[in-house]
Amino acid sequence: MILSICIPSYNRFDELRNLLNSISEAKSSEFNVFVIDNGSNENIFSLQKYDNRFNFIKRDKKVPGPVNVGTSLNYGDAKYVMLCLDKDFIVGECLDKFINIIKNENISCGYCQLNSKLE
């Protein structure tokens, strides 16, 4: 597996559905997706209609937003891990191109630190 996309989610059902629909259009089998629900009032598990690249996880206990975002990366199990918020969007065709690049090229990796403490 070359890429894990980790998506922390909380009460953005429609945006999450749009994001997952777009990601599911990618043809590559070299990525997986982890949707981590942080105690949403909405039933995001009704979105489990996708193939085996998509994994849904429910936290046992709700955690503060920054902790949910920061620790969601722990679920990634591929060579590269991408954080994608449930309000973001990835075009499936572009995801295929990105995977091809990271698979076949030397790339630089970045680090993003949240503007708040993870306590």
Side-chain angles (χ1 to χ4, degrees):
M1 193 67 53
I2 193 79
L3 179 66
S4 289
I5 303 170
C6 298
I7 307 170
S9 185
Y10 179 73
N11 285 344
R12 285 198 182 105
F13 184 87
D14 291 334
E15 294 91 338
L16 179 62
R17 181 183 60 226
N18 291 338
L19 171 61
L20 296 178
N21 284 341
S22 183
I23 291 173
S24 71
E25 293 175 2
K27 305 291 185 235
S28 176
S29 62
E30 298 187 62
F31 75 93
N32 55 22
V33 176
F34 294 91
V35 178
I36 301 93
D37 178 53
N38 192 27
S40 297
N41 297 328
E42 302 161 325
N43 182 14
I44 70 162
F45 292 90
S46 66
L47 297 173
Q48 291 185 6
K49 62 182 180 181
Y50 302 101
D51 56 55
N52 63 356
R53 298 177 296 181
F54 293 80
N55 305 279
F56 289 76
I57 299 151
K58 179 143 182 102
R59 289 193 182 275
D60 294 333
K61 176 180 150 188
K62 186 176 176 188
V63 297
V67 175
N68 187 38
V69 170
T71 60
S72 68
L73 294 172
N74 295 335
Y75 291 96
D77 60 1
K79 181 176 181 181
Y80 297 101
V81 178
M82 173 191 291
L83 173 65
C84 183
L85 300 181
D86 56 5
K87 61 183 179 179
D88 293 338
F89 193 77
I90 297 175
V91 176
E93 180 181 331
C94 293
L95 179 58
D96 285 328
K97 290 177 183 178
F98 178 70
I99 290 170
N100 193 44
I101 289 169
I102 63 175
K103 210 170 59 169
N104 297 309
E105 307 277 334
N106 290 326
I107 64 164
S108 298
C109 295
Y111 171 77
C112 177
Q113 182 175 353
L114 299 173
N115 291 330
S116 58
K117 292 181 181 180
L118 296 179
E119 295 178 0

